[in-house]
Each structure stands twice: as C-alpha cells, then as structure tokens.
C-alpha cells in the first residue's frame, strides 16, 4: 500500500473509516456506541488520536488486557531480582504469570536472585474463610530459612486478599521488625482494582514510594554520588534490553547507578533518589514514581526512546542536554561509533523490507516507540493501539509518531483486530502471545512485541540489528509462500515452492 500522495492518503482514510463502521455493525447498538469511541483514523495536526482510553472493557467482547496484579507482579516488582515476590492468594494467578516476561538478570537463581522462581501462598477454601495472615507470616519464615540471601520480600495481592480484608500491612511490618528491619513491601494490587494492568503499575509505584523510599531515608549510602549519575527507569530488560541501553549511557560518560526493574536490585531502588537525572523508558508504567522523585527529591526526569537509530540519536542528545559539554561530546562520540553498524544493518535489510506495512497492538510504550525503528527500515506502521494506554499516551503518539490516516484502536477486541487485519492485509502484525497463533493461522507474518518472540534485545544499537534481522525473518520466511493468506491464495505448486 502506498501512502505517498494526498489522493492515496484520502483513500486510505476513507477505507479505514468504512472499516470501523463495518466492524461496529455486528455489535448490539449500545456496545457499538461504546466501542466507537475507541476507534479512529488519525488526522495529521491533531493533538491526540481522538480515541477514549483507560475505560472499563465491555463484558462479552474479548479484551486482551491483564489485571492490576499482573501490572504489579508481572511488570514492576517481579523483575527486582534479589527480592522474593509472593503471589498472595490462590495458585492460578501466579502460575499463569510465572516467568512470562523474559526479564533477564545476572545472579544465581535460588541463592541470591529469584526472578524466574514462583512463590505463592496457594490459598485454599479455609484461608478464604478464616483469613490468610497467619499463613503469610509462616511463608515469610520459610523464605527466611530457605533463602537466607534474599534482600527483601513483596506481597503481591491477588483478588481474594482485598475481598476478605486480610491485613498484609500488619504482617509485613511485624515480620520486618522481627528480621531486623528487612524491606517487606505489601502491595495492594488486587486484580479487581482499576480497568487493566495500568492501575497495578501505579499501585506498585506507590508501594516503592511508601515502603522503600520513605523507609530508607537516612540510611547510609552504599556509594559516593557523582555528577553524572543517572538511573534507568521503566526498562524491564526483556531479552537484555536494559543492558544494550546502559552500555550507550556509560559510553557517553554517564554512570548508571540503578536500573528498574529489569536486572534491578533493592539497593538500586534505594539509590535512585540520589541520581542527577532519571531517564524514563516506559512512561506508562513508571511516570508516577519519576514525578514523585522530581517533587520530593528534586531529581529531573526525561523520556527516551532507544528503538532504531533515528530515535536513539534524538534520545542520546536529549539526555546529554541535561549535562555539561563532556557528556554532550560523549553522545556525539557514541552516535558516530555505532553509525557503521546501523548503516550496515539498514543496507542489508531495508531493500528486503522497504514499503512493507505493519499493524501493532501492544502495551505500555511500544505502540508508538517502535514506529521509528520500522521507519528506519523503510516500513510503514498503518495501524496501532494500546492495551491499557491513557490519554497522554495517545497524545504522544499523535504528536510524535503516527502518520496521517493511521488506524487507531484502543483496547481492541479480538473480533475487531481480526477484521482490521483481514481487510488491511498488512505484511506484519506485532502483538502478543494471545494474538500470535490467530494471525499466523491466517497466514500473516507475526512478531511478539511483548517478549520479542524469544529473541532480543531490541533496545539500543545492538538491539536494532537484531530487530531488523527478526522482522526480515518473519516477513520473508519462505513458509508464507506455502501457507498463503486466504486473500493471496493462488493454488500454487507448494512442493515446487518448498524445493526453491
Ligand atoms: S483478576 Fe484477580 S483472579 Fe484474575 S489473575 Fe488477576 S488477581 Fe488473579
């Protein structure tokens, strides 16, 4: 699909508007009215995408969202590697979220790091009837005995904890005192709170504020603060993303004193208020604590985007602008150093990907942040949407990322997404595990954009080369000729294709 002329763009807009109407037609009137507010065609020059967001999903349509517990345990707290995170409640929620996000870390699992292990209080009927506080206290004792090198515990509340009124704060305080002041964090992230995992992120941020920052004030520092100290906030180190990011910051002369929460530790959380600048990757999940640190400790924060060379360059210069000339020169040095690598990746993959179209549907920042990386490869993102975005995410998307005529879908339903893909016929869909096999069975190339499909990193210059290779591999794999999409079926000789 070409979007190069005004006539083309108007035709695309017209088609997308008709497509939205067609998708809405199958719903009952009330549902159609509600869903219509979440779907739109982006108009250039508008300050947001024109969709409503962060609103309760409609029962009966298939949403792809998670719950507040998933936002706290699965995203914010779970990757803090030297703490043990108890999934407090029945076993199911924890089992489902076990090690699902590929948050890489350095350490010896089960000895001093615990990210890929799953701890649950495994609530039974009697715990619901009589309360689970005693069980929680017992579990903490067992943890102290079995894993003496743990540096702290969090209690990640599942739905029943809030319903039966357990006092996890009292248990946490008592056990912290008993263990000589160990950090124990009760998190009220019961899944029923809010409309998606987004409120879980906020609650988790507030727990860092109340149970880590406030309690560690006055504690002796483990390091000497310096003029170039920064903290990486909101990088979950999926497939090593934070590592390929911090290397660039360090090479430009900054000192990374903390990274949250991928490969992060409790000592790093405690050190962060001493940073000179917080650099924020996932705005959605960590803006709350960044704002708090600015207000309470005077630490400024800036958003950055390390997907693709264009956005990396912009971001390195933006981060450097908070520091003196030595760091600004450092940023230029880093940009120059990696130019050959990115030029080579673009020379190799752009001819194979030029003009290919992509539809995205992901979480916190990726529905907008990866657009530049696709464009660096000559590709066009023709549709995008957030699972749990808020209005400020759609504003950033409209003002800095999407092109005129892009189809926007908030909290898209399973039906709508399939319909849009079937009609728009993109060359690639980037979304999550729940969508992957639906689209692959439709014969559409797919990449998981939450977990990088067991690949990565995708952040930083090193990550871009891997991103380019993976997108090429997904789109240009010969397998698609053997399993053509229904609209491309040509009754070809598949044995001949296989032999090519
Ligand atoms: S909504 Fe409640 S029961 Fe469901 S996964 Fe989340 S915490 Fe568990």
């Amino acid at each position: 699909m070409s979007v190069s002329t005004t006539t083309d763009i108007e035709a695309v807009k017209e088609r997308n508007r008709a497509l939205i109407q067609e998708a809405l037609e199958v719903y009952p009137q009330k549902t159609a009215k509600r869903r219509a507010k979440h779907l739109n065609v982006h108009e250039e020059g508008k300050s947001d995408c024109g969709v409503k967001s962060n609103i309760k999903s409609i029962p009966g349509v298939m949403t792809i969202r998670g719950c507040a517990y998933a936002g706290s345990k699965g995203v914010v707290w779970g990757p803090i590697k030297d703490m043990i995170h108890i999934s407090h409640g029945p076993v199911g929620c924890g089992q489902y979220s076990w090690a699902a996000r590929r948050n890489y870390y350095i350490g010896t699992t089960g000895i001093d790091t615990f990210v890929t292990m799953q701890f649950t209080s495994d609530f039974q009927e009697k715990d619901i009837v009589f309360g689970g506080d005693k069980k929680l206290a017992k579990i903490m004792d067992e943890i102290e005995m079995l894993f003496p090198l743990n540096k702290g515990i969090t209690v990640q509340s599942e739905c029943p904890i809030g319903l039966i009124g357990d006092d996890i704060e009292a248990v946490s305080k008592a056990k912290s005192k008993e263990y000589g002041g160990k950090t124990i964090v009760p998190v009220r992230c019961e899944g029923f709170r809010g409309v998606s995992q987004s409120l879980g992120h906020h609650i988790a941020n507030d727990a860092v504020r109340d149970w880590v920052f406030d309690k560690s004030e006055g504690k002796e520092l483990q390091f000497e603060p310096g003029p170039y100290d920064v903290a990486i906030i909101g990088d979950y180190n999926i497939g090593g993303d934070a590592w390929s990011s911090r290397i660039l910051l360090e090479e430009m002369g900054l000192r990374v004193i903390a990274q949250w929460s991928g490969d992060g530790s409790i000592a790093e959380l405690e050190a962060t208020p001493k940073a000179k600048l917080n650099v924020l990757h996932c705005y959605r999940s960590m803006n709350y604590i960044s704002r708090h640190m600015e207000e309470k400790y005077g630490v400024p924060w800036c958003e950055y985007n390390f997907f693709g060379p264009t956005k990396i360059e912009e971001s390195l210069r933006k981060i450097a602008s908070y520091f003196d000339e030595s760091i600004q020169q450092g940023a230029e040095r880093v940009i120059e150093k990696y130019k050959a690598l990115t030029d080579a990746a673009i020379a190799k993959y752009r001819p194979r990907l030029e003009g290919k179209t992509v539809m995205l549907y992901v979480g916190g920042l990726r529905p907008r942040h990866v657009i530049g990386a696709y464009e660096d490869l000559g590709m066009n993102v023709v549709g995008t949407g957030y699972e749990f975005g808020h209005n400020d995410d759609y504003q950033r998307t409209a003002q800095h990322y999407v092109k005129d005529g892009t189809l926007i879908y908030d909290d898209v339903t399973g039906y709508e997404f399939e319909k849009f893909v079937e009609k728009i016929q993109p060359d690639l869909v980037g979304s999550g595990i729940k969508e992957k096999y639906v689209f692959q069975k439709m014969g559409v190339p797919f990449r998981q954009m939450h977990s990088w499909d067991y690949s990565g990193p995708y952040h930083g210059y090193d990550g871009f080369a891997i991103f380019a290779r993976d997108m090429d591999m997904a789109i240009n794999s010969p397998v698609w000729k053997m399993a053509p999409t229904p609209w491309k079926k040509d009754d070809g000789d598949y044995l001949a294709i296989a032999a090519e």
Side-chain angles (χ1 to χ4, degrees):
M1 180 187 69
S2 165
V3 286
S4 53
T5 68
T6 314
T7 329
D8 284 344
I9 291 168
E10 286 312 314
V12 167
K13 283 184 184 172
E14 200 49 47
R15 181 213 49 195
N16 286 350
R17 283 190 205 106
L19 190 48
I20 290 173
Q21 286 315 314
E22 198 182 324
L24 292 172
E25 267 166 24
V26 299
Y27 293 133
Q29 210 180 8
K30 200 170 157 195
T31 304
K33 199 171 160 200
R34 285 171 67 181
R35 280 304 305 156
K37 295 176 186 162
H38 297 264
L39 307 171
N40 198 23
V41 180
H42 175 62
E43 292 283 345
E44 201 166 58
K46 290 274 167 71
S47 61
D48 70 20
C49 296
V51 291
K52 294 272 181 206
S53 57
N54 196 30
I55 294 174
K56 190 178 175 298
S57 304
I58 302 169
V61 302
M62 231 160 69
T63 177
I64 295 155
R65 285 173 163 175
C67 68
Y69 158 82
S72 177
K73 158 71 167 64
V75 177
V76 177
W77 276 107
I80 298 290
K81 63 182 178 179
D82 55 359
M83 297 179 83
I84 286 179
H85 310 286
I86 303 171
S87 289
H88 191 35
V91 68
C93 323
Q95 176 63 25
Y96 182 61
S97 66
W98 185 0
R101 294 240 311 159
R102 302 181 62 243
N103 311 101
Y104 283 9
Y105 58 96
I106 293 165
T108 308
T109 304
I111 304 296
D112 59 2
T113 46
F114 310 94
V115 178
T116 50
M117 297 177 76
Q118 173 62 9
F119 298 81
T120 175
S121 46
D122 187 21
F123 259 40
Q124 306 295 309
E125 203 172 331
K126 68 175 172 22
D127 302 313
I128 302 289
V129 175
F130 297 110
D133 286 346
K134 281 192 188 137
K135 191 174 198 182
L136 180 61
K138 187 164 177 276
I139 288 168
M140 289 182 183
D141 286 342
E142 286 175 6
I143 285 172
E144 284 303 283
M145 187 181 67
L146 292 170
F147 305 102
L149 296 186
N150 84 77
K151 294 280 176 26
I153 297 170
T154 73
V155 182
Q156 304 290 324
S157 305
E158 299 165 9
C159 285
I161 305 307
L163 297 171
I164 63 176
D166 271 10
D167 194 350
I168 59 170
E169 287 81 5
V171 177
S172 301
K173 276 184 197 158
K175 283 294 165 189
S176 171
K177 206 166 161 198
E178 191 183 321
Y179 305 151
K182 174 167 272 189
T183 304
I184 302 186
V185 183
V187 191
R188 286 283 177 191
C189 54
E190 289 90 348
F192 57 74
R193 297 186 194 277
V195 300
S196 70
Q197 54 267 65
S198 182
L199 189 62
H201 305 144
H202 197 155
I203 291 167
N205 278 218
D206 290 352
V208 173
R209 178 194 65 199
D210 298 342
W211 295 84
V212 179
F213 288 173
D214 287 1
K215 293 203 182 305
S216 61
E217 273 174 17
K219 214 172 164 182
E220 203 185 325
L221 278 180
Q222 305 289 315
F223 71 107
E224 195 61 46
Y228 301 125
D229 291 350
V230 296
I232 295 175
I233 311 273
D235 189 321
Y236 300 103
N237 208 28
I238 308 295
D241 280 338
W243 296 333
S244 59
S245 301
R246 89 180 271 158
I247 199 170
L248 303 181
L249 300 175
E250 287 171 347
E251 282 180 359
M252 68 195 259
L254 298 169
R255 183 170 72 158
V256 179
I257 59 165
Q259 61 183 55
W260 294 25
S261 49
D263 196 31
S265 61
I266 182 73
E268 288 171 68
L269 291 188
E270 290 175 355
T272 305
K274 302 291 176 205
K276 297 295 176 296
L277 177 71
N278 283 327
V279 295
L280 176 59
H281 206 241
C282 182
Y283 170 84
R284 182 71 277 130
S285 61
M286 290 279 199
N287 78 86
Y288 319 101
I289 197 70
S290 304
R291 290 176 197 280
H292 171 71
M293 280 188 271
E294 183 170 47
E295 281 162 23
K296 182 157 183 187
Y297 306 105
V299 185
W301 56 278
C302 82
E303 289 172 65
Y304 71 102
N305 176 350
F306 271 3
F307 287 103
T310 305
K311 290 294 170 189
I312 298 173
E313 269 184 36
E314 252 176 49
S315 297
L316 289 175
R317 290 189 175 120
K318 183 168 153 193
I319 292 167
S321 72
Y322 285 80
F323 295 92
D324 62 25
E325 221 168 78
S326 72
I327 301 297
Q328 287 161 20
Q329 284 166 1
E332 297 306 323
R333 205 173 48 240
V334 171
I335 292 166
E336 192 52 40
K337 177 182 168 186
Y338 287 95
K339 207 172 173 338
L341 183 147
T342 50
D343 284 352
I346 289 171
K348 181 171 179 184
Y349 294 109
R350 189 165 175 140
R352 298 166 62 81
L353 296 170
E354 188 81 49
K356 301 283 186 194
T357 54
V358 189
M359 290 179 74
L360 298 168
Y361 182 64
V362 219
L365 56 90
R366 293 166 183 171
R368 64 177 180 276
H369 269 207
V370 295
I371 291 176
Y374 283 114
E375 288 176 351
D376 285 334
L377 294 168
M379 301 167 74
N380 293 313
V381 173
V382 295
T384 194
Y386 294 81
E387 273 180 46
F388 49 84
H390 296 207
N391 194 31
D392 48 4
D393 293 302
Y394 284 105
Q395 282 170 350
R396 284 164 167 74
T397 309
Q399 291 166 17
H400 305 292
Y401 290 97
V402 284
K403 288 182 178 153
D404 203 17
T406 305
L407 184 63
I408 307 289
Y409 30 82
D410 175 70
D411 185 24
V412 77
T413 69
Y415 166 75
E416 289 161 10
F417 202 15
E418 277 181 53
K419 185 92 185 158
F420 294 156
V421 169
E422 189 189 321
K423 291 293 164 93
I424 291 177
Q425 302 181 16
D427 297 298
L428 180 73
V429 173
S431 191
I433 185 68
K434 295 189 267 307
E435 298 76 53
K436 179 181 169 87
Y437 299 105
V438 173
F439 291 118
Q440 287 191 336
K441 283 177 183 174
M442 284 165 70
V444 181
F446 187 96
R447 285 301 297 185
Q448 280 193 75
M449 295 303 283
H450 296 276
S451 69
W452 307 152
D453 249 330
Y454 323 110
S455 180
Y458 284 175
H459 292 180
Y461 289 115
D462 292 334
F464 176 67
I466 296 167
F467 173 86
R469 179 205 62 191
D470 287 357
M471 298 310 138
D472 175 48
M473 203 162 58
I475 292 175
N476 293 313
S477 166
V479 76
W480 302 117
K481 290 187 195 149
M482 301 165 72
T485 52
W487 51 84
K488 284 182 185 159
K489 241 188 189 127
D490 58 358
D491 296 324
D493 181 349
Y494 301 127
L495 285 177
I497 292 168
E500 269 177 17

